């Protein structure tokens, strides 16, 4: 009798505890829901760069990709741009590239910014925010590391240092 | 930990106060009381003795009504605190939350932010409080409804004398013509829709027992309600997002997996017009100046045809045109788009004229699309203007450099280079709204402001809620429980022969006055005296002395 009571109570408490734990977990991960998920394939997209050349993410399979979302008004984005540029030059022949997606700004604003910082990597124009919506981008800058199989291996939001960028790019080197 | 066997032969669980079957008092200290505590029928609802293991300790903690009430009080206070300042999701996105609260509300705001009250309703401790209330509900209910059910099921017609004597309504009469009186009483009880059980010439009349389950039905409703709330956190069950869309713009609707697109054809804000609208409105219009009559977005819904990947120009198929008004959302699939906010007259285009400052002679106009300015505007005859820099939302940063705060053209500023036949190298001019700076000395030419073109922006709420029916079901069951518990009473009348006397006792879970009236009608002209209200008598006595 006593054993049975203990069992029933334990089972009920476990069930309730599991429901609470799930709710808390779901609540804290709800902002990541449907966002491109680490460990899964990066949502494919195709965007034009400043020269009108089309870049399709799946065409980059076989090499590592640093996918960076940025805006010209965003200070931390601006700060990490020179680092990205340096590392782009270092890694471009080692099979890791950088794709920098600008979020729906005017061509002029992007061009002036790119000229000012002598950016060499392709800057993609997400004119109607489609890719931004697909990746559910919140605060900028947001950086995804995609490996040679097209899988997301890392996500970072906030400014990156040059060392961090180097480290990230090493990780996806084919 | 042994079960308790009563004199009557019934075996009660450990901790029982009143025998489930005959009502005899099993707990010594209860015997001294004048009236028995009839809550939960004196059943063994909380066995403090089962307090050995951690499971029992947790169980007993949540089983306490006192704990439950405290949880509710704390949750209420916390919920109230969350309304002092706006929650994070409602603050304007002009600055980060950590700055905003201090900036707007001073040190109190800072404290508010640091304590996490800016995001109170999804903070872990708030969720934990609500969850604890849920657990408390389940365990409190289980711990009470099962013993109560057992006790009510096991109750016998013949109740122990000590039980009857300690009922609130109790009376003794001499037994004369008992046969006749019993028949009369039973008939009247039946008239009053009592369920009658007899045993050895004793009567138990009972009605409305199901009202005792009201609180528990109510709790089941609450728990279903809470489960509905919990499901909102499950991906795909609940969406609540804001979508800003300019007039003329076509945008993908968030959370639809890129399946649906929306075009904003026009945003309309109508106000009441003193001359056109009915006279009854005129006073209100006079008082408050402008009264909004209608907020409306004329939109077109498109569905993507075939497969396309993000960024590709999708092939769109028109689904329907619609007018979204407040409370009249556009519905498709499980989604609803509500008119929730707007921004009037967002700058869209600006027109300038290249002008000679001395002669005021103009050499052509140029119109800059603020969302997509061109690099160079050729005005002909050797006159042209280059846009060197563009700041859609301009301000000076700490070092005095012009920067932009966002990509929205709230306060556009330009650095123009004016190329003219007499100044082939060009003159540079910084032009912002009501502000012109000529960084390299006095210029011959200027960009004279000619006009603006604006667009309205609609703010729509994208909502999807698959949990609503569960929440409504919970609410409905909740109300059924409330009605069940409040509109019906559980009434019992015991009539027992003790030697040459007739003992009558009555019990109800509420509305004693109603029970007394009913008993008085039932016992009228039967020779059996009406039982007395021992609580009232006691009060009278103590009041009199």
């Amino acid at each position: 009798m006593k054993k049975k009571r203990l069992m029933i109570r334990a089972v009920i408490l476990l069930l309730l505890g599991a429901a609470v734990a799930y709710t808390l977990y779901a609540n804290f991960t709800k902002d990541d829901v449907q966002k491109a998920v680490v460990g899964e394939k990066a949502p494919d997209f195709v965007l034009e760069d400043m020269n009108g050349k089309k870049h399709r993410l799946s065409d980059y399979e076989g090499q590592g990709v640093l996918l960076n979302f940025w805006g010209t008004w965003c200070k931390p984005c601006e700060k990490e741009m020179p680092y990205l540029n340096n590392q782009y030059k270092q890694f471009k022949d080692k099979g890791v590239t950088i794709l920098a997606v600008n979020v729906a700004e005017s061509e002029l604003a992007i061009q002036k910014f790119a000229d000012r910082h002598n950016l060499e990597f392709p800057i993609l124009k997400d004119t109607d925010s489609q890719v931004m919506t697909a990746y559910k981008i919140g605060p900028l800058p947001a950086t995804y590391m995609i490996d040679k199989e097209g899988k997301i291996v890392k996500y970072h939001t906030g400014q990156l240092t040059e060392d961090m960028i180097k480290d990230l790019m090493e990780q996806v080197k084919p | 930990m042994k079960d308790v066997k009563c004199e009557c032969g019934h075996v009660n669980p450990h901790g029982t106060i009143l025998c489930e079957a005959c009502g005899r008092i099993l707990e010594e200290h209860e015997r001294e009381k004048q009236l028995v505590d009839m809550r939960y029928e004196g059943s063994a609802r909380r066995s403090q003795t089962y307090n050995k293991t951690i499971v029992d300790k947790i169980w007993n903690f949540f089983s306490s009504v006192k704990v439950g009430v405290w949880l509710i009080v704390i949750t209420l206070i916390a919920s109230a605190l969350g309304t002092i300042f706006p929650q994070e999701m409602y603050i304007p996105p002009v600055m980060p939350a950590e700055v905003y609260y201090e900036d707007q509300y001073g040190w109190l705001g800072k404290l508010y932010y640091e304590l996490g009250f800016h995001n109170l309703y999804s903070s872990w401790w708030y969720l934990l409080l609500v969850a604890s209330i849920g657990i408390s509900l389940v365990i409190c209910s289980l711990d009470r409804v099962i013993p109560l059910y057992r006790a009510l099921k096991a109750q016998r017609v013949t109740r122990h004398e000590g039980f009857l004597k300690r009922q609130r309504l109790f009376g003794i009469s001499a037994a004369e013509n008992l046969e006749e009186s019993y028949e009369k009483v039973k008939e009247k009880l039946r008239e009053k829709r009592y369920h009658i059980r007899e045993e050895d010439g004793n009567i138990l009349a009972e009605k409305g027992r199901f009202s005792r389950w009201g609180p528990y039905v109510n709790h089941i409703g609450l728990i279903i309600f809470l489960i509905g709330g919990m499901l909102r956190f499950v991906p795909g069950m609940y969406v609540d997002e804001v979508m800003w869309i300019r007039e003329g713009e076509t945008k993908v609707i968030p959370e639809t997996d890129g399946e649906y697109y929306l075009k904003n054809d026009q945003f309309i804000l109508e106000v009441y017009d003193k001359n056109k609208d009915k006279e009854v409105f005129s006073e209100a219009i006079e008082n408050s100046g402008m009264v909004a009559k209608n907020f409306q977005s004329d939109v077109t819904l498109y569905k993507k045809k075939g497969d396309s990947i993000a960024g590709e120009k999708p092939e769109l198929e028109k689904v329907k045109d619609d007018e979204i008004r407040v409370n009249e959302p556009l519905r498709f699939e499980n989604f609803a788009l509500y008119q929730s906010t707007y921004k009037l007259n967002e700058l869209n285009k600006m027109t300038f004229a290249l002008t000679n400052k001395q002669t005021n002679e103009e050499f052509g106009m140029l119109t800059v699309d603020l969302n997509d300015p061109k690099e160079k505007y050729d005005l002909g005859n050797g006159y042209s203007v280059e846009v060197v820099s563009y700041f859609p939302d301009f301000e000076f940063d700490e070092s005095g450099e012009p920067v932009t705060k966002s990509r929205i053209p709230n306060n556009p500023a330009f650095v123009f280079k004016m190329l003219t036949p007499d100044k082939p190298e060009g003159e540079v001019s910084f032009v912002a709204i009501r502000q012109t700076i000529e960084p390299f000395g006095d210029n011959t030419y200027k960009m004279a402001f000619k006009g603006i073109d604006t667009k309205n922006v609609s703010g729509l709420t994208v909502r999807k809620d698959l949990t609503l029916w569960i929440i409504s079901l919970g609410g409905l069951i909740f109300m059924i429980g409330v009605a069940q518990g409040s509109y019906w009473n559980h009434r019992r009348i015991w009539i027992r022969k003790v030697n040459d006397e007739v003992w009558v006792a009555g019990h109800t879970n509420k509305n004693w006055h109603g029970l007394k009236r009913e008993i008085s009608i039932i016992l009228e002209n039967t020779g059996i005296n009406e039982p007395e209200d021992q609580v009232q008598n006691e009060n009278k006595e103590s009041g009199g002395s």
Side-chain angles (χ1 to χ4, degrees):
Chain A
M1 187 66 190
K2 191 188 152 199
K3 267 243 167 83
K4 199 175 138 205
R5 176 186 297 256
L6 189 68
M7 278 291 290
I8 293 172
R9 287 184 171 187
V11 167
I12 292 173
L13 282 176
L14 267 176
L15 280 177
L16 291 171
V20 173
Y22 176 77
T23 308
L24 285 176
Y25 168 79
N27 179 49
F28 293 118
T29 51
K30 70 166 186 255
D31 294 334
D32 312 329
V33 169
Q34 285 180 358
K35 191 193 278 188
V37 188
V38 172
E40 289 188 9
K41 209 162 164 64
D44 200 10
F45 61 81
V46 59
L47 288 176
E48 263 180 37
D49 68 11
M50 301 303 288
N51 306 319
K53 190 184 159 209
K54 279 194 174 164
H55 295 259
R56 185 173 175 154
L57 183 66
S58 50
D59 291 344
Y60 284 92
E61 267 174 37
Q63 26 178 333
V65 176
L66 185 152
L67 182 63
N68 179 258
F69 290 85
W70 64 281
T72 62
W73 72 90
C74 143
K75 284 274 157 204
C77 304
E78 185 161 5
K79 285 208 185 91
E80 70 184 18
M81 279 300 169
Y83 310 146
L84 286 171
N85 211 24
N86 288 343
Q87 293 306 318
Y88 174 71
K89 284 184 242 174
Q90 298 293 322
F91 278 90
K92 132 176 109 167
D93 300 323
K94 295 180 192 162
V96 185
T97 191
I98 290 180
L99 296 175
V101 179
N102 175 280
V103 294
E105 283 187 279
S106 65
E107 188 144 356
L108 181 85
I110 307 173
Q111 192 59 59
K112 294 290 172 196
F113 184 90
D115 291 349
R116 197 157 70 237
H117 293 283
N118 295 315
L119 300 182
E120 293 181 20
F121 46 77
I123 294 170
L124 312 182
K125 296 175 291 178
D126 187 18
T127 320
D128 44 9
S129 313
Q130 273 193 63
V131 177
M132 199 186 154
T133 312
Y135 277 76
K136 273 208 112 186
I137 298 296
L140 294 176
T143 305
Y144 286 93
M145 298 309 302
I146 299 162
D147 71 5
K148 61 178 193 291
E149 269 111 43
K151 259 200 330 218
I152 299 175
V153 291
K154 201 128 201 172
Y155 164 71
H156 180 90
T157 176
Q159 198 202 317
L160 293 161
T161 63
E162 188 149 5
D163 285 340
M164 285 161 82
I165 295 169
K166 193 173 170 200
D167 183 50
L168 287 172
M169 292 183 78
E170 282 294 344
Q171 284 181 37
V172 294
K173 209 164 82 174
Chain B
M1 263 9 91
K2 267 180 284 166
D3 291 336
V4 187
K5 193 168 176 184
C6 177
E7 278 175 6
C8 71
H10 183 75
V11 180
N12 295 285
H14 178 78
T16 306
I17 301 163
L18 303 175
C19 170
E20 291 172 333
C22 74
R24 199 176 77 88
I25 300 169
L26 300 173
E27 288 269 331
E28 237 7 88
H29 58 90
E30 281 289 316
R31 243 179 261 270
E32 294 149 24
K33 293 187 184 163
Q34 208 202 339
L35 294 178
V36 287
D37 183 2
M38 285 294 283
R39 264 202 310 169
Y40 315 114
E41 299 289 305
S43 55
R45 66 185 187 280
R46 204 145 47 99
S47 345
Q48 297 293 358
T49 25
Y50 290 111
N51 213 352
K52 293 262 157 62
T53 64
I54 181 83
V55 171
D56 287 326
K57 285 207 169 86
I58 298 172
W59 186 273
N60 287 339
F61 174 77
F62 282 112
S63 152
S64 157
V65 169
K66 211 191 249 170
V67 168
V69 169
W70 272 111
L71 285 171
I72 292 171
V73 168
I74 295 169
T75 309
L76 277 178
I77 293 171
S79 307
L81 286 175
T83 63
I84 294 178
F85 299 133
Q87 290 285 296
E88 191 184 18
M89 63 182 121
Y90 298 116
I91 64 168
V94 286
M95 48 179 117
E98 63 250 48
V99 190
Y100 180 84
Y101 284 95
E102 195 177 357
D103 182 78
Q104 294 284 310
Y105 311 108
W107 67 271
L108 260 178
K110 193 176 177 207
L111 188 72
Y112 197 77
Y113 176 81
E114 272 163 11
L115 289 176
F117 286 180
H118 66 294
N119 216 342
L120 184 119
Y121 303 111
S122 49
S123 69
W124 63 269
W125 60 270
Y126 187 81
L127 288 178
L128 222 50
L129 271 176
V130 176
S132 302
I133 293 178
I135 295 173
S136 161
L137 270 176
V138 171
I139 292 180
C140 276
S141 302
L142 279 177
D143 240 23
R144 285 165 179 75
V145 73
I146 292 170
L148 179 65
Y149 174 80
R150 275 180 57 112
L152 287 177
K153 210 179 161 203
Q155 65 174 335
R156 281 193 199 144
V157 177
T158 314
R159 282 289 175 136
H160 193 266
E161 286 146 39
F163 175 85
L164 295 178
K165 215 160 45 185
R166 288 182 181 81
Q167 290 300 315
R168 182 172 163 181
L169 290 186
F170 176 68
I172 299 178
S173 322
E176 286 168 47
N177 294 332
L178 214 53
E179 295 283 298
E180 202 184 318
S181 314
Y182 261 40
E183 282 315 308
K184 268 191 198 162
V185 168
K186 277 198 277 184
E187 195 183 315
K188 279 190 181 155
L189 281 171
R190 255 179 235 115
E191 245 169 58
K192 293 279 176 200
R193 294 169 178 277
Y194 274 87
H195 179 73
I196 301 169
R197 278 164 66 195
E198 274 184 280
E199 188 187 83
D200 306 330
N202 304 321
I203 294 176
L204 164 58
E206 185 177 11
K207 75 172 176 186
R209 191 195 281 188
F210 88 108
S211 101
R212 295 294 284 270
W213 316 128
Y216 308 103
V217 171
N218 172 289
H219 287 177
I220 291 170
L222 263 179
I223 289 158
I224 293 175
F225 193 96
L226 283 176
I227 290 173
M230 188 181 99
L231 284 177
R232 287 198 166 182
F233 296 120
V234 176
M237 293 294 278
Y238 182 72
V239 170
D240 184 15
E241 286 209 24
V242 176
M243 167 184 191
W244 285 97
I245 183 163
R246 289 192 186 100
E247 284 175 329
E249 201 177 18
T250 305
K251 252 188 166 174
V252 59
I253 301 173
E255 302 286 343
T256 59
D257 285 331
E259 278 293 300
Y260 285 94
Y261 285 73
L262 193 74
K263 179 166 184 247
N264 183 359
D265 300 311
Q266 193 185 11
F267 174 77
I268 301 166
L269 167 63
E270 282 175 288
V271 292
Y272 282 99
D273 187 320
K274 219 161 80 175
N275 305 319
K276 280 190 208 146
D277 286 301
K278 282 188 205 138
E279 226 179 275
V280 285
F281 299 126
S282 60
E283 200 180 331
I285 296 167
E286 212 125 289
N287 284 340
S288 45
M290 208 176 86
V291 182
K293 185 180 184 180
N294 183 23
F295 303 98
Q296 176 179 333
S297 297
D298 293 345
V299 296
T300 312
L301 179 71
Y302 294 97
K303 193 174 176 19
K304 193 173 79 176
K305 229 168 114 182
D307 273 339
S308 73
I309 50 174
E312 222 172 21
K313 210 146 188 63
E315 203 182 324
L316 297 179
E317 195 175 26
K318 183 170 153 182
V319 180
K320 59 178 162 184
D321 287 315
D322 202 4
E323 292 161 1
I324 302 177
R325 286 187 207 93
V326 175
N327 292 334
E328 291 173 32
L330 160 64
R331 289 186 196 277
F332 61 96
E333 288 193 9
N334 288 315
F335 287 91
L337 297 180
Y338 289 88
Q339 180 71 54
S340 72
T341 177
Y342 64 95
K343 192 171 137 197
L344 287 182
N345 307 325
E346 183 180 282
L347 293 173
N348 180 42
K349 283 174 182 159
M350 272 177 125
T351 307
F352 300 94
L354 179 62
T355 312
N356 185 306
K357 274 158 80 177
Q358 234 100 59
T359 62
N360 272 336
E361 192 187 342
E362 290 181 5
F363 300 95
M365 308 252 265
L366 60 108
T367 300
V368 183
D369 181 343
L370 298 172
N371 289 308
D372 190 18
K374 281 198 277 183
E375 202 170 355
K376 190 170 180 175
Y377 295 85
D378 200 343
L379 303 177
N381 304 325
Y383 292 90
S384 66
V385 175
E386 267 178 35
V387 181
V388 180
S389 285
Y390 168 48
F391 310 96
D393 196 358
F394 145 79
E395 66 171 3
F396 285 113
D397 69 1
E398 306 89 28
S399 51
E401 291 286 315
V403 291
T404 184
K405 275 187 286 187
S406 72
R407 63 188 154 109
I408 316 291
N410 290 324
N411 182 22
F414 302 87
V415 176
F416 287 122
K417 193 182 218 179
M418 300 167 286
L419 299 154
T420 48
D422 52 325
K423 301 271 180 187
E425 282 96 64
E427 290 180 322
V428 175
S429 173
F430 177 86
V431 181
I433 292 172
R434 285 194 222 154
Q435 189 175 15
T436 305
I437 299 168
E438 294 172 356
F440 304 118
D442 218 6
N443 289 344
T444 315
Y445 294 92
K446 68 169 179 185
M447 299 297 290
F449 175 73
K450 282 290 165 191
I452 52 165
D453 176 42
T454 61
K455 269 185 181 178
N456 299 330
V457 193
S458 282
L460 304 174
T461 298
V462 182
R463 169 124 351 119
K464 171 178 155 185
D465 192 350
L466 301 182
T467 68
L468 212 56
W469 69 271
I470 301 175
I471 290 176
S472 318
L473 180 73
L476 180 73
I477 294 175
F478 179 99
M479 285 317 293
I480 290 173
V482 169
Q484 192 177 337
S486 20
Y487 292 115
W488 283 271
N489 314 135
H490 179 216
R491 292 176 177 175
R492 271 174 298 175
I493 301 168
W494 293 276
I495 303 174
R496 181 174 171 182
K497 261 188 292 187
V498 181
N499 302 329
D500 289 334
E501 293 169 339
V502 180
W503 289 23
V504 179
H507 180 262
T508 179
N509 62 336
K510 55 169 68 81
N511 188 7
W512 289 85
H513 179 70
L515 177 65
K516 278 189 261 175
R517 275 190 34 168
E518 209 164 55
I519 291 180
S520 126
I521 294 168
I522 289 164
L523 296 182
E524 213 182 2
N525 301 325
T526 59
I528 301 174
N529 296 340
E530 232 177 274
E532 311 234 337
D533 187 336
Q534 304 199 66
V535 172
Q536 224 166 50
N537 289 351
E538 197 182 351
N539 288 347
K540 250 184 227 158
E541 272 161 37
S542 60
S545 62

